[in-house]
Amino acid sequence: MAPKKDPKAAPAKKAEPAPAPAPAPAPEPAPAAPAAPAVDLSAVKIEFSADQVEDYREAFGLFDRVGDNKVAYNQIADIMRALGQNPTNKEVTKLLGNPSHDDMANKRVEFEAFLPMLQTIINSPNKAQFEDYVEGLRVFDKEGNGTVMGAELRIVLSTLGEKMNEAEIDALMAGQEDENGCVNYEAFVKHIMSV
Amino acid sequence: MGCGVSKSNHFHKHSKKGNTIRAAVLIQRWYRQYVARTEMRRRYTWNIFQSIEYSGEQAQIKLYNFLGYLMDNFTPSSSERNLISHIFRENDICRDAEWERYFCYKNIDVPEVYSGPHLTFPLTVDQVVGLLEAFRNKKQLHSRYVLQLLLETWKLLRMLPNINRIATCHSKEITICGDLHGQLEDLLLIFYKNGMPSLEKPYVFNGDFVDRGKDSIEILLILFSCLLVYPCDVYLNRGNHEDHIINLRYGFTKEVLTKYKIHGKRILKLLQKIFSWLPLATVIDQKVLVLHGGISDTTDLSLLAKLNRHSYVSALRPPKKKNQISTPTSIDMDDDVWNTNKLYLRRASLTYPKPIGTRDCFHNRSLQDFSGRIKVNDGDEQGSPRRTPNQFHSTATKSEKDTLSVSNESVSSDGANEEWRQILDLLWSDPMTQNGCIPNEVRGGGCYWGPDITEDFLNRHNLQLIIRSHECKQEGYEFCHNRKVLTLFSASNYYDVGSNRGAYVKLGPDLVPYVIQYQASSMTRELTARQSIGRTERSALKVLREQLFAHKSDLICAFKTFDSENTGLVSLNDWASAVESVMHLNLPWRMLRCQLVSCKNSEAINYYEWFNELAIKEPNADHIEQSLLETLYRHRSTLETIFRIVDTDNSGFITMEDFRQTWKLLSVYLKMEITDEAISDLAVTIDSNHDGSIDIDEFMEAFRLTDKKSRLERGRSMFMGTGTDLTKLEGDPNI
């Protein structure tokens, strides 16, 4: 559960032996599928059952707002999450070949190209359990009494890692802080894992 | 882990920093997953509501087409025709003097006990404020004042052009509101946030003031009174729901008749007239076009500006032709005669001559039951073949293109039909992302138009923006077509509490739209986002389960086609295909499967068991045949609509005889056999006092499906909250 400490370790997580990821962004004029990705998607073996593929196709369709059977780059992470995966934005950006900001908004991916990306993420051994979350939050438990300061959580979430904005943090913390501004983190984790 | 580390100097120890970052990322990743999954739930919940709403609109149009067909084909004296002819009758009072007599409110006394507002004309601002206050306090305006107000409104509307043209003077901002649909709370909220209409605060209201919500008449009265007080600063556009045919199904008719038991019918008749006099569109500073639905590839503002808008009482109904090309001999010579060609126009989506899918085409049904009643014409009416049942039968098998090409010739020469088509497009169309212009078969009227059409239209008319409504949007508004089209929807919580926000737009001289969003209902504020999505989702699923149950026989048939060995099991894939083939709602069934079927076995679904699980409580009706019951569930709305049509004096009761006739009508429409016995059985259920008349509301209530499951469902803990939250919602009968 310590991938983020070592950026170089990240590609090694992925199923196939990726060559050293080309740090230069690769926004060549390629059609929808990422042409020179940091990860070699064409080498990914799809291991989904037919049923699973149909499930994913349905979810994919739900996110297609345009009606061209494709979704934008900046939706890929969300679709994967909707399907129960938990990639970081960084992982997904890497999968897409580190596209530019414009590309993220404008380029589109079709379902067949999406499948290997999803497979890659599924293959990565990065599943967090209840205990992992609790451990993570215990870091902030200064007094060791099972609570963390809501304010501190907010600062951390907005300044570290893949930063959240104020609205996101508000939504996350809604109803979690008691009158002293403290959060019982085991309850918090139960809450966030209940969906 | 690039981003935040360099900025954060909070933590000294490397390992602690690592832990912190790890924890942060963990929570952030979880959160984003939660948001994505919630978004997905929201989308399919939305799809459920929207599919059902649009299929209802489509059903209404089909019903109307069917009734029109009957009008054309039944002999004048037939009782079926008499049942329904009145909704096709043009307003028979033509002259203004007669209308004023019909409006006459002077004979209506206002009793002493009346505690609502008293109006004197000409209206003043204070009175409008008083009216708002009264409605806020759930008071009802007396019918005398309603009629008087409507009279004054009509007089004013008649003087307005088809297309309002207004200007933002150097400092005035114009406020534009979208669909309100009888939701008084939203209108009050808008006035509260934005101020009431006044000389300094002009407003445009973009149609669909009525139907679905429970305070449609109050909204109309407020809007009309504002119009009367500030005729140069309040602009009303007609919407597709300002239409008495649509009102029959979507609740406005019922609301008025319930609130105004004595004069309701007259009020409705006057409103028919008033709706037809509502302007069709508004243009601001010659650059921004505001209209309710949208445009098509043929929309022509100059044509729209010139036509007689009040001829189109219902947008669903083509204008009657005064001069027919060939005079039919035996066709009814009543004023409400239909042109032959209308049949073909109606067959397709109302604007475009494209055939409706054959599966629903009632023409395919043989009409032996009614063959005796169908007229036989001797003369050849423009090659129209639909005269005898046999000929008609063969028409159904002929390519519809042939018949349509016949009608098209005479249609194209008829300017009135072109006008009608333009109005229909204006009120019913929706934008799409692809280029082009195709019939809007989902709603059954108008078209879908693409960005290229927008571009072309704006250029041709030298405009820069189209503001329209007609479609519910989660945020209350949505831009499309390169931000050249703005959809604006002002009825928040439209599908259910928490489903969407409402919005209005302010437009200053720079003509840059400034959107303000809101959400009415105190209940929404108390729910977290998660709770409200859960609530809406449960509501949608409840509706969906009832729909599924109502289609039980058809679904079982469909399942059986996949289950040739009769094992009672179907695979998940087959289940999804079968369900879609019956329901035609274009929903993500696989995704919904877990909500609809208990996921014991992920390989196969036992479909018989599934129906048992659906836990729909059926009414106590053992003596009634199963398929008839299903018809009742499935076509509730249609049946109720026909009842209301048949109930000509709007008493809420119809005679046994009319009840029988209604069922016969329905049986033809739905292509099913319903025996007299079965009908009697139905009547017996409800006519408990045997006096020969049926209470419509009681009848509809007796055959309502209720979803037992929604009360018991805790499921995947759709909402989390403190204990108090849960109990608050538990008592809510709406859940």
Side-chain angles (χ1 to χ4, degrees), chain A residues 116-132:
Chain A
M117 295 185 199
L118 183 62
Q119 182 76 68
T120 307
I121 294 295
I122 286 182
N123 291 346
S124 60
N126 212 355
K127 310 288 184 252
Q129 302 300 319
F130 177 84
E131 272 313 313
D132 295 316

Side-chain angles (χ1 to χ4, degrees), chain B residues 482-529:
Chain B
N482 292 323
R483 293 185 77 91
K484 303 241 175 89
V485 174
L486 169 60
T487 300
L488 192 60
F489 198 81
S490 300
S492 65
N493 306 320
Y494 182 59
Y495 289 129
D496 196 1
V497 173
S499 66
N500 64 290
R501 298 160 94 175
Y504 59 92
V505 158
K506 298 197 71 105
L507 213 58
D510 59 357
L511 296 182
V512 173
Y514 177 60
V515 180
I516 293 111
Q517 297 166 291
Y518 55 85
Q519 195 154 16
S521 168
S522 51
M523 207 180 166
T524 323
R525 288 194 283 278
E526 287 168 11
L527 296 174
T528 63

Side-chain angles (χ1 to χ4, degrees), chain B residues 704-719:
Chain B
R704 176 185 291 283
L705 287 175
T706 46
D707 180 8
K708 284 188 289 194
K709 199 167 185 175
S710 58
R711 290 188 175 276
L712 308 170
E713 191 175 76
R714 290 296 166 246
R716 298 170 68 208
S717 183
M718 301 285 182
F719 53 87

Side-chain angles (χ1 to χ4, degrees), chain B residues 304-352:
Chain B
L304 285 162
K306 285 188 292 220
L307 52 79
N308 284 327
R309 68 181 188 273
H310 66 101
S311 308
Y312 302 93
V313 174
S314 163
L316 300 188
R317 176 178 154 195
K320 62 175 197 195
K321 235 166 101 167
K322 304 261 194 271
N323 318 310
Q324 307 217 5
I325 294 178
S326 73
T327 328
T329 50
S330 54
I331 276 198
D332 191 354
M333 296 310 275
D334 274 359
D335 281 350
D336 46 346
V337 152
W338 282 91
N339 187 320
T340 309
N341 299 315
K342 306 300 189 284
L343 170 67
Y344 302 107
L345 287 177
R346 282 200 306 276
R347 235 193 236 179
S349 141
L350 288 170
T351 1
Y352 288 79

Side-chain angles (χ1 to χ4, degrees), chain B residues 322-390:
Chain B
K322 304 261 194 271
N323 318 310
Q324 307 217 5
I325 294 178
S326 73
T327 328
T329 50
S330 54
I331 276 198
D332 191 354
M333 296 310 275
D334 274 359
D335 281 350
D336 46 346
V337 152
W338 282 91
N339 187 320
T340 309
N341 299 315
K342 306 300 189 284
L343 170 67
Y344 302 107
L345 287 177
R346 282 200 306 276
R347 235 193 236 179
S349 141
L350 288 170
T351 1
Y352 288 79
K354 189 174 160 197
I356 289 180
T358 46
R359 67 176 160 79
D360 272 356
C361 182
F362 56 79
H363 307 96
N364 290 335
R365 168 78 171 177
S366 86
L367 292 166
Q368 287 102 327
D369 303 75
F370 293 83
S371 59
R373 301 265 185 76
I374 294 185
K375 315 187 289 285
V376 177
N377 283 339
D378 300 318
D380 181 17
E381 248 167 64
Q382 299 148 7
S384 153
R386 47 152 197 80
R387 260 173 291 295
T388 64
N390 299 332

Side-chain angles (χ1 to χ4, degrees), chain A residues 1-2 4-5 7 51-52 54-55 58-59 62-67 75 78 81-91 126 128 132-133 136-137 139-140 142 152-153 155-164 167-168 171-172 174 188 191-195, chain B residues 1-5 7-8 10-11 14-44 47 433-434 478 528 530 572-573 576 587-593 602-603 716-717 720 722:
Chain A
M1 218 4 267
K4 296 303 150 262
K5 274 209 274 187
D51 263 349
Q52 283 174 311
E54 284 315 304
D55 280 340
E58 238 185 21
L62 261 186
F63 281 82
D64 171 13
R65 305 282 270 166
V66 170
Q75 291 177 289
D78 280 338
R81 288 167 183 142
L83 291 172
Q85 297 310 307
N86 229 340
T88 58
N89 288 338
K90 195 168 178 184
E91 280 172 309
N126 212 355
D132 295 316
Y133 288 104
L137 283 168
V139 163
F140 302 104
K142 300 275 179 350
E152 193 169 347
L153 254 186
I155 293 176
V156 166
L157 291 174
S158 62
T159 54
L160 299 185
E162 300 203 321
K163 300 178 229 183
M164 287 166 66
E168 289 176 314
L172 174 65
F188 183 61
H191 154 67
I192 68 178
M193 290 196 82
S194 63
V195 176
Chain B
M1 200 57 253
C3 3
V5 177
K7 286 189 191 164
S8 164
H10 292 244
F11 311 96
H14 178 73
S15 61
K16 183 146 191 216
K17 186 204 282 182
N19 281 343
T20 309
I21 297 172
R22 200 184 321 145
V25 169
L26 202 50
I27 297 172
Q28 289 157 345
R29 276 167 40 159
W30 170 83
Y31 177 75
R32 295 198 164 103
Q33 187 198 58
Y34 158 68
V35 165
R37 287 167 72 158
T38 305
E39 173 61 16
M40 194 170 77
R41 281 164 67 200
R42 194 204 59 76
R43 285 193 194 200
Y44 66 62
N47 284 3
T433 42
Q434 296 93 329
E478 191 174 271
T528 63
R530 181 203 216 125
L572 172 58
N573 247 349
L587 291 173
W589 295 107
R590 301 180 66 98
M591 216 169 284
L592 294 169
R593 180 230 335 161
S602 56
E603 294 302 318
R716 298 170 68 208
S717 183
M720 278 292 290
T722 60

Side-chain angles (χ1 to χ4, degrees), chain B residues 542-660:
Chain B
K542 169 178 182 269
V543 170
L544 194 55
R545 277 198 289 270
E546 286 168 12
Q547 290 275 312
L548 288 166
F549 190 79
H551 287 78
K552 183 171 168 180
S553 321
D554 283 355
L555 283 169
I556 292 193
C557 266
F559 291 142
K560 286 210 170 114
T561 63
F562 288 102
D563 180 23
S564 47
E565 280 148 52
N566 228 349
T567 59
L569 298 171
V570 286
S571 73
L572 172 58
N573 247 349
D574 292 341
W575 178 84
S577 305
V579 173
E580 178 58 25
S581 72
V582 170
M583 305 300 293
H584 296 286
L585 290 172
N586 200 22
L587 291 173
W589 295 107
R590 301 180 66 98
M591 216 169 284
L592 294 169
R593 180 230 335 161
C594 276
Q595 317 276 25
L596 298 171
V597 189
S598 65
C599 298
K600 283 188 290 237
N601 181 354
S602 56
E603 294 302 318
I605 295 175
N606 181 324
Y607 48 90
Y608 287 107
E609 229 178 80
W610 178 49
F611 282 109
N612 291 338
E613 260 174 39
L614 278 180
I616 304 285
K617 181 171 176 305
E618 292 186 76
N620 195 357
D622 297 324
H623 56 293
I624 297 184
E625 202 205 316
Q626 185 61 24
S627 64
L628 188 56
L629 268 181
E630 266 189 40
T631 304
L632 251 171
Y633 305 150
R634 207 186 311 188
H635 299 280
R636 268 188 77 75
S637 219
T638 299
L639 182 62
E640 188 169 355
T641 306
I642 300 182
F643 276 146
R644 295 211 181 280
I645 295 176
V646 165
D647 176 23
T648 46
D649 61 359
N650 299 314
S651 60
F653 287 83
I654 57 174
T655 64
M656 257 312 292
E657 190 42 43
D658 283 348
F659 180 81
R660 236 181 270 282

